[in-house]
Amino acid sequence: MWLYLAPTLVINVVIILIPALLTIGLAFFQWDGLSAPVFVGLGNFVSLWNDSVFWTALENNLIWTAIFLTIPIAMGLLAASMLLIVPRRGSTIFQVVYFLPVIIATAITARVWQGMIYSPVTGIFGWLGKLGLPLTNPLSQTSTALFGIATVDLWHWWGFLCVIFFAALRQVPQEQIEAARIEGASFWQMMRYVLLPGIRSTIVLMMVMTVIWSFLVFDFVYILTQGGPAFSSEVLSTLAYRKAFYDLNVGQAAATALVISLFGLVATYFYIRIQQREGV
Amino acid sequence: MGFRAKITLAGAALVALGVAAAQAEDKKPISWWYETAAPENQEALQKLLVEPFNAAHPNEELSIDFRGAELDKQLRIAMLSGSGPDIVYTAGPSYVAAMAQAGQLLPLDDYAAKLGWNERILPVFIELGKYNGKLYALPKTYETLGLFYNKTLFDKNGWKAPTTIAEMEKLADEMKAKGMVPFAAGNADWRPTNEHYVSIVLNSIAGPDNVYKALKGEIPWTAEPFVKAIDKLNEWWQKGYFGPNYFSLTGEQAFAQIATGQAGMAPTGTWNFQNVPRYFPQNNAEPAFIGFPSAEGVPSPIYALGIGSTFSIANSSENPEGAAEVIDYVFSDKFYGDINTVWQGEWNTPLKDLSKVKIGAEVLPLYGETMKSLADAVGKNQYGYTTWTFLPPATDTYLVSGMEEVWLGKITTAQFLEKLNAAFLEEKAAGKVPAIPAR
């Protein structure tokens, strides 16, 4: 029987395990990606510890996680619950509309927001500025750059959560909903006592995945600000990328990647614990 | 058709196939991975380089593979595995040093002697392409920084091209008073735009002699001349010379503001000549380009040298002779004139003597004149050092965002230069600093 699993196991080892071990190994070497690696023990981690940009990036990943654990999930849940009220054909249309941003390529979404919305020259912000409503491009300010990027990703992402939650909500037993309705439950009471508990496992899963994805965030940051201005929107992935390909410091890039993995593992650990508890 | 005729025909076909195969085998392939190029520029390379080269060298077959913005990453991975292209095209000397150190590049000294590169190419660029005394790379193009301005706008306002820092600042203040942006600039699409301005002040304020000493490790980057230089750049930022939209504009959008008259001057590089035809004619404006003014005590102007890209030959190449012939063709007068007629700003090959070069009449004479002035100045050793060409990689990378920290008040000039110096010393110890030709 084990033989049937062997091919997938081989693929997993070759494609996932070996690169992962290489990354872990490289974190303890100084390597420029060209000459021979030199073992430096914990030197790369010490360098990261002393690097203020690393801490800024970590802080930004935590902020990003906090944003994405709250706003898009709330938006998705609210929209999904409202879709329950809409007749089936209408909800399908809304689902398609909400889902569209997810399937647009990241680079295109980012450039559309940068050039058509945020830009003071070619964007809606610029147009509003001419109308006497001056709005500052959030990507150009240190205090708002990260939030400007998060807004783009939010727009891109919340509809996906909505569709997931809507699918889950439709699995809630109809009898429970009918019983609550008969008992005169309000919309909010229905949400709190019937719907949310009913899809709790889906919400928890999405929150865990959100933590993991939040530490992996790279694409919108890289395209929109490259971590600027003045490192204000730097995240761990863009830091690792720059260290690997611009600083020619693959070892520290690998060490940074390990830190990212650490947070993912913590999230995974909590998810498994929750699952086990609920399973009992 | 009879049986014998069929056999004869089949035999003839086989012979023809054999001949064709033999002929194909005689052509030795030469591969070259290029970076991003617009479709019309890809076509220009095909018509002006690939086809003429292949026609002139029947036994060679050059092909150019356009790899786009990801070229340098793909190249590094390919070189590691020994499967890179014959002609190695990098983003600059700091990458060459690392590759040469790793043994991935072929020394070019013999080809330089045999093909006459030492006589045709400006000496500083031969020296710059050396690592541990051997020649590993040559620039495809060299660029410099200076000051573009709108001559039409200047004439209308009675302004004259500035020859001193004080004159330039006075002009900038007048422009601000008129609601213009003094320095057209933007880094929304390319954050390393920041180092164009750092390079300008390091060379025009601190002076190239001091930059040279710092690159040699003879003085630290925390020395007084560099403090003054960075303080001056920060002062310009705080005065608003760079305008309110520096972090929102792309480089091209910023340059367009010079043509429209929204901005007065553009301290930027010669690569922007490729944007002149797109923006100036439609605005009925005439561009001008001068060297950036220098502080007192520093020769004026200083042309800071930048190398946007270099050629090398892979050590693993199976056709190094063919690759050398391609590089030699690129350094011909004819190719210089042809390619610069249709694509300015990217193919200023470092030829010593541009007097035999013929650039098409449709190209703005300012371009040819600027390139000749630059070559003459370099020939007289009146040049400076851009940070992206002469600083090692991590130091250069820190400089880009570190300067933003200074501009936005997060760190002081002293702190910035302290970090820069620390990064530089670390990389110098690791042998990452590109070769610095004797001054």
Side-chain angles (χ1 to χ4, degrees):
Chain A
M1 287 300 296
W2 289 99
L3 285 179
Y4 288 108
L5 290 176
T8 56
L9 188 62
V10 169
I11 291 171
N12 206 274
V13 166
V14 170
I15 293 181
I16 296 177
L17 184 59
I18 290 179
L21 292 178
L22 276 177
T23 299
I24 295 173
L26 282 174
F28 300 94
F29 284 80
Q30 182 174 45
W31 188 39
D32 60 7
L34 293 162
S35 50
V38 176
F39 183 75
V40 292
L42 292 176
N44 286 328
F45 295 96
V46 173
S47 293
L48 286 184
W49 186 271
N50 293 323
D51 185 354
S52 62
V53 178
F54 168 78
W55 293 106
T56 298
L58 180 58
E59 181 184 345
N60 284 343
N61 274 109
L62 292 169
I63 292 171
W64 189 276
T65 304
I67 293 171
F68 278 80
L69 277 178
T70 50
I71 298 174
I73 291 181
M75 290 171 67
L77 279 173
L78 187 63
S81 57
M82 287 193 290
L83 284 181
L84 283 179
I85 304 172
V86 178
R88 184 53 53 86
R89 184 178 300 112
S91 67
T92 300
I93 293 172
F94 277 105
Q95 283 185 83
V96 171
V97 171
Y98 293 162
F99 203 75
L100 274 177
V102 179
I103 65 174
I104 300 175
T106 301
I108 293 173
T109 300
R111 289 301 185 199
V112 164
W113 273 80
Q114 184 179 44
M116 296 185 185
I117 295 174
Y118 287 149
S119 172
V121 175
T122 56
I124 292 174
F125 277 35
W127 178 67
L128 290 175
K130 291 191 177 91
L131 294 188
L133 182 60
L135 293 173
T136 302
N137 178 358
L139 304 181
S140 64
Q141 306 288 315
T142 57
S143 56
T144 58
L146 188 70
F147 301 103
I149 301 166
T151 300
V152 179
D153 205 347
L154 261 170
W155 176 84
H156 157 267
W157 172 245
W158 79 273
F160 173 73
L161 288 179
C162 172
V163 173
I164 295 288
F165 290 146
F166 183 59
L169 284 173
R170 282 157 62 186
Q171 305 305 311
V172 175
Q174 199 66 26
E175 308 87 60
Q176 292 181 19
I177 298 176
E178 286 300 322
R181 185 170 290 147
I182 289 171
E183 292 294 333
S186 69
F187 173 79
W188 298 107
Q189 286 170 322
M190 175 82 76
M191 283 286 290
R192 182 177 173 192
Y193 295 111
V194 179
L195 298 178
L196 291 188
I199 65 170
R200 173 186 159 86
S201 61
T202 301
I203 296 174
V204 170
L205 173 62
M206 283 296 113
M207 292 179 85
V208 170
M209 295 306 297
T210 294
V211 171
I212 294 171
W213 287 326
S214 294
F215 276 88
L216 293 174
V217 65
F218 172 83
D219 43 10
F220 284 109
V221 178
Y222 187 73
I223 295 170
L224 290 170
T225 62
Q226 297 138 73
F231 301 117
S232 62
S233 61
E234 190 79 87
V235 291
L236 292 172
S237 289
T238 54
L239 180 64
Y241 184 85
R242 188 168 63 255
K243 283 190 180 292
F245 292 112
Y246 288 98
D247 290 8
L248 301 190
N249 196 340
V250 179
Q252 275 190 35
T256 308
L258 268 195
V259 173
I260 295 171
S261 300
L262 177 64
F263 282 89
L265 285 175
V266 169
T268 303
Y269 168 79
F270 277 105
Y271 178 64
I272 293 173
R273 279 286 305 274
I274 291 168
Q275 270 208 324
Q276 286 173 347
R277 185 182 310 145
E278 291 190 343
V280 172
Chain B
M1 188 178 289
F3 177 79
R4 181 175 299 275
K6 283 178 182 174
I7 291 293
T8 303
L9 194 61
L14 284 174
V15 171
L17 277 177
V19 171
Q23 284 179 340
E25 283 166 15
D26 284 344
K27 284 186 180 293
K28 292 189 241 172
I30 305 164
S31 59
W32 175 351
W33 295 358
Y34 198 84
E35 56 182 325
T36 304
E40 64 269 19
N41 291 336
Q42 292 186 24
E43 188 181 339
L45 273 184
Q46 190 67 26
K47 286 184 174 174
L48 300 176
L49 176 56
V50 176
E51 288 169 13
F53 176 84
N54 288 342
H57 299 81
N59 293 332
E60 311 284 358
E61 182 156 38
L62 169 66
S63 64
I64 296 183
D65 192 352
F66 295 93
R67 293 293 176 116
E70 294 298 300
L71 168 67
D72 59 339
K73 288 95 180 175
Q74 293 178 14
L75 184 69
R76 253 175 276 162
I77 293 168
M79 296 300 288
L80 261 182
S81 62
S83 61
D86 300 294
I87 296 174
V88 181
Y89 182 83
T90 80
S94 60
Y95 295 99
V96 172
M99 286 183 173
Q101 193 181 43
Q104 295 169 353
L105 304 177
L106 192 69
L108 304 176
D109 306 80
D110 291 342
Y111 295 120
K114 187 175 88 172
L115 297 168
W117 297 344
N118 293 320
E119 288 72 49
R120 287 152 52 203
I121 294 170
L122 288 158
V124 62
F125 294 111
I126 297 284
E127 292 304 311
L128 191 49
K130 292 184 177 178
Y131 182 79
N132 280 350
K134 291 185 177 180
L135 181 66
Y136 285 102
L138 290 165
K140 159 210 159 191
T141 185
Y142 71 111
E143 57 211 6
T144 192
L145 296 157
L147 202 61
F148 274 94
Y149 62 94
N150 183 324
K151 188 173 184 305
T152 307
L153 182 75
F154 266 49
D155 290 345
K156 187 187 305 179
N157 286 278
W159 293 332
K160 288 179 179 158
T163 58
T164 66
I165 297 292
E167 283 175 11
M168 186 193 68
E169 288 178 344
K170 182 168 178 289
L171 259 183
D173 291 332
E174 282 183 43
M175 290 167 181
K176 275 208 71 184
K178 281 177 172 276
M180 296 173 188
V181 173
F183 293 161
N187 80 349
D189 59 333
W190 177 245
R191 205 128 222 126
T193 298
N194 302 344
E195 61 179 324
H196 302 163
Y197 313 110
V198 177
S199 292
I200 285 176
V201 294
L202 288 182
N203 288 281
S204 298
I205 306 291
D209 289 343
N210 285 320
V211 176
Y212 173 76
K213 289 173 185 169
L215 289 169
K216 288 299 224 177
E218 292 164 13
I219 62 174
W221 289 101
T222 51
E224 184 61 21
F226 305 124
V227 175
K228 284 180 179 172
I230 300 301
D231 276 345
K232 177 57 71 173
L233 178 53
N234 191 26
E235 179 190 322
W236 292 341
W237 178 272
Q238 303 307 331
K239 282 183 169 180
Y241 286 1
F242 288 92
N245 294 323
Y246 180 77
F247 293 116
S248 302
L249 295 174
T250 66
E252 191 167 328
Q253 286 172 334
F255 189 76
Q257 291 191 323
I258 287 294
T260 61
Q262 290 170 270
M265 302 177 279
T268 185
T270 48
W271 52 86
N272 262 308
F273 270 105
Q274 64 191 304
N275 288 321
V276 167
R278 193 194 309 260
Y279 292 106
F280 275 83
Q282 64 166 321
N283 285 288
N284 295 312
E286 183 188 346
F289 180 87
I290 58 169
F292 198 89
S294 300
E296 289 187 18
V298 177
S300 189
I302 294 296
Y303 288 109
L305 297 180
I307 292 176
S309 40
T310 69
F311 302 130
S312 296
I313 298 179
N315 211 8
S316 59
S317 171
E318 292 176 7
N319 187 11
E321 289 79 19
E325 292 287 348
V326 173
I327 294 175
D328 188 61
Y329 187 88
V330 167
F331 291 137
S332 65
D333 294 329
K334 174 170 170 47
F335 179 73
Y336 186 110
D338 290 346
I339 193 71
N340 280 281
T341 296
V342 298
W343 187 356
Q344 298 91 47
E346 275 292 329
W347 288 91
N348 184 36
T349 54
L351 302 181
K352 261 187 206 177
D353 180 7
L354 295 179
S355 60
K356 296 185 209 65
V357 164
K358 292 194 172 76
I359 298 179
E362 63 270 30
V363 176
L364 197 68
L366 174 71
Y367 178 72
E369 289 158 12
T370 299
M371 294 305 119
K372 285 192 172 95
S373 299
L374 177 56
D376 290 345
V378 173
K380 292 184 291 191
N381 273 0
Q382 189 170 321
Y383 60 82
Y385 308 86
T386 61
T387 55
W388 63 91
T389 292
F390 291 89
L391 284 180
T395 307
D396 187 43
T397 302
Y398 169 68
L399 181 151
V400 170
S401 296
M403 192 64 228
E404 288 181 2
E405 291 186 297
V406 176
W407 278 338
L408 301 177
K410 290 181 174 294
I411 61 174
T412 64
T413 295
Q415 287 168 321
F416 167 66
L417 291 173
E418 190 69 49
K419 285 190 185 181
L420 193 78
N421 196 54
F424 179 80
L425 291 178
E426 187 174 337
E427 289 191 287
K428 190 170 194 303
K432 303 297 186 193
V433 181
I436 312 296
R439 192 168 175 81

